[in-house]
Amino acid sequence: MRNVKLKHYLHLHFLILIAGFTAILGKKITIGALELVWYRMAIAGIIMFIYIKLIKLNIKISKKTLLQFSVAGVIIALHWITFFEAINQANVSIALAMFSSGAFFASFIEPIFFKRRILGYEIIFGIVVILGVLLITSSEMGYINGIILGLCSALFSTLFAVINGRFIEQHRATVISFYEFVSGVVFLTIFILLSGKTFDVEFFTLSNEDWIYLFILASICTAYAFIGSVDVMRYISPFTVILSYNLEPIYGIAIALFLFPETEKMSPQFYLGAILILLTVLFDAVFKNYKSRKRKTKEITS
């Protein structure tokens, strides 16, 4: 039994490592962020459709639900565009450090969606996150565009995570993901055409390296990682999974430092700010779990 549990924990951390590797692929792929996200969502959508057909999953939904999924798909597309553009404008470390601030946004967005009051400790944690961001910003002013884009990416990420939290109450994760990918591709296609670009031969002419990296990004880092993270929750508690995924920036920054030491080495202030943000996110998750368990114990004993 212990070996089985260990196997699933190892699988979870492999998935987190894959998530951290997403930023590395974003740095390696030479096309623009807009085109990169279009390819990512298109290829992942095709892979997801094949998976749906293989497991014979019913994906029929109402027009209202389709509209809701479409809005979420646009938000996901915006999250990925701002994330990869943050890497282009700054580097992997900046993009991932700013992405960690998503928990700060969640503290204020989540109560609106789930109609609950903002808790005192969430405000305190939010202030600490702001201090971490200020530390990074003051020491890395040359990357200010990347910092702003990274914060926007974290905001969009939090928005779609909270929205998906409502969707998952009524729909299967695979169905949600499939329609979000498709709607994201439709949105990006319209946006690309309106911006004056066309889907000509040049658009689809990529280097062999770019095609390989894009396929890895869409298949392993998107479709597989998503299905895997849903599957692993059958064996490991959702809290442990969510808490463990906070290690993604640490894995990503460590890999980036190893692969690109010349562009990823940052000032001591950056690492202090990043550690502040990451520790706050971890403490926030642990505190929420403690409060949740305490409330459940009260309900049982009362």
Side-chain angles (χ1 to χ4, degrees), residues 96-107 121-122 124-126 128-130 133 154 158 239 242-250 273-289:
L96 287 172
M98 293 302 102
F99 179 68
S100 305
S101 66
F104 164 67
F105 292 117
S107 297
Y121 72 86
E122 289 178 331
I124 294 166
F125 285 157
V128 177
V129 168
I130 290 170
V133 172
T158 304
F239 168 75
I242 293 163
L243 183 63
S244 300
Y245 260 94
N246 289 319
L247 295 170
E248 178 191 336
I250 297 172
I275 288 165
L276 257 182
I277 294 168
L278 289 164
L279 284 176
T280 305
V281 170
L282 289 170
F283 277 126
D284 179 58
V286 170
F287 203 69
K288 275 188 170 68
N289 185 57

Side-chain angles (χ1 to χ4, degrees), residues 7-25 40 83 96 99 220-222 224-226 228-230 232-233 236-255 278 282:
K7 175 185 148 187
H8 295 302
Y9 274 114
L10 288 172
H11 184 209
L12 171 61
H13 282 275
F14 177 64
L15 291 168
I16 299 165
L17 190 65
I18 287 171
F21 202 73
T22 298
I24 308 299
L25 290 170
R40 180 183 189 177
F83 179 73
L96 287 172
F99 179 68
I220 298 172
C221 298
T222 308
Y224 164 72
F226 182 83
S229 62
V230 173
V232 85
M233 284 191 195
I236 300 171
S237 73
F239 168 75
T240 303
V241 173
I242 293 163
L243 183 63
S244 300
Y245 260 94
N246 289 319
L247 295 170
E248 178 191 336
I250 297 172
Y251 287 175
I253 291 170
I255 296 167
L278 289 164
L282 289 170

Side-chain angles (χ1 to χ4, degrees), residues 104-124:
F104 164 67
F105 292 117
S107 297
F108 299 95
I109 292 170
E110 198 180 287
I112 295 168
F113 275 83
F114 291 96
K115 294 176 182 176
R116 67 165 177 82
R117 65 184 179 86
I118 295 171
L119 304 172
Y121 72 86
E122 289 178 331
I123 295 169
I124 294 166

Side-chain angles (χ1 to χ4, degrees), residues 10-267:
L10 288 172
H11 184 209
L12 171 61
H13 282 275
F14 177 64
L15 291 168
I16 299 165
L17 190 65
I18 287 171
F21 202 73
T22 298
I24 308 299
L25 290 170
K27 188 175 177 75
K28 296 287 284 181
I29 296 167
T30 60
I31 59 176
L34 191 64
E35 292 83 0
L36 189 159
V37 177
W38 185 90
Y39 275 109
R40 180 183 189 177
M41 297 190 94
I43 297 169
I46 292 165
I47 292 168
M48 197 67 78
F49 182 72
I50 293 167
Y51 174 73
I52 286 165
K53 286 295 178 185
L54 285 173
I55 64 170
K56 296 176 181 175
L57 182 66
N58 181 12
I59 59 170
K60 285 183 181 177
I61 55 171
S62 67
K63 287 180 182 177
K64 183 185 174 183
T65 304
L66 177 60
L67 180 62
Q68 291 171 337
F69 287 170
S70 297
V71 171
V74 171
I75 293 170
I76 292 170
L78 291 171
H79 155 58
W80 281 337
I81 289 166
T82 48
F83 179 73
F84 289 119
E85 191 55 34
I87 294 170
N88 294 337
Q89 295 284 334
N91 57 25
V92 172
S93 299
I94 290 285
L96 287 172
M98 293 302 102
F99 179 68
S100 305
S101 66
F104 164 67
F105 292 117
S107 297
F108 299 95
I109 292 170
E110 198 180 287
I112 295 168
F113 275 83
F114 291 96
K115 294 176 182 176
R116 67 165 177 82
R117 65 184 179 86
I118 295 171
L119 304 172
Y121 72 86
E122 289 178 331
I123 295 169
I124 294 166
F125 285 157
I127 292 166
V128 177
V129 168
I130 290 170
L131 288 173
V133 172
L134 287 173
L135 270 172
I136 291 169
T137 306
S138 63
S139 65
E140 309 296 342
M141 280 303 291
Y143 295 129
I144 191 65
N145 289 343
I147 289 168
I148 293 167
L149 284 164
L151 288 170
C152 289
S153 174
L155 175 60
F156 288 130
S157 171
T158 304
L159 270 173
F160 87 73
V162 173
I163 291 168
N164 275 357
R166 298 300 297 265
F167 290 160
I168 205 73
E169 294 169 2
Q170 297 177 359
H171 306 278
R172 286 190 60 163
T174 307
V175 177
I176 297 167
S177 183
F178 171 70
Y179 281 109
E180 286 174 345
F181 289 159
V182 171
S183 59
V185 172
V186 172
F187 164 71
L188 290 172
T189 300
I190 294 167
F191 188 86
I192 289 167
L193 291 172
L194 288 175
S195 66
K197 297 178 183 178
T198 55
F199 290 90
D200 52 11
V201 175
E202 189 182 343
F203 185 90
F204 294 100
T205 305
L206 308 178
S207 68
N208 290 336
E209 271 195 356
D210 277 347
W211 277 118
I212 291 166
Y213 292 142
L214 278 168
F215 185 75
I216 293 169
L217 178 66
S219 58
I220 298 172
C221 298
T222 308
Y224 164 72
F226 182 83
I227 294 165
S229 62
V230 173
D231 183 65
V232 85
M233 284 191 195
R234 295 179 188 174
Y235 312 99
I236 300 171
S237 73
F239 168 75
T240 303
V241 173
I242 293 163
L243 183 63
S244 300
Y245 260 94
N246 289 319
L247 295 170
E248 178 191 336
I250 297 172
Y251 287 175
I253 291 170
I255 296 167
L257 268 171
F258 177 73
L259 293 177
F260 316 111
E262 65 288 347
T263 59
E264 294 296 329
K265 196 170 181 183
M266 311 297 287
S267 67

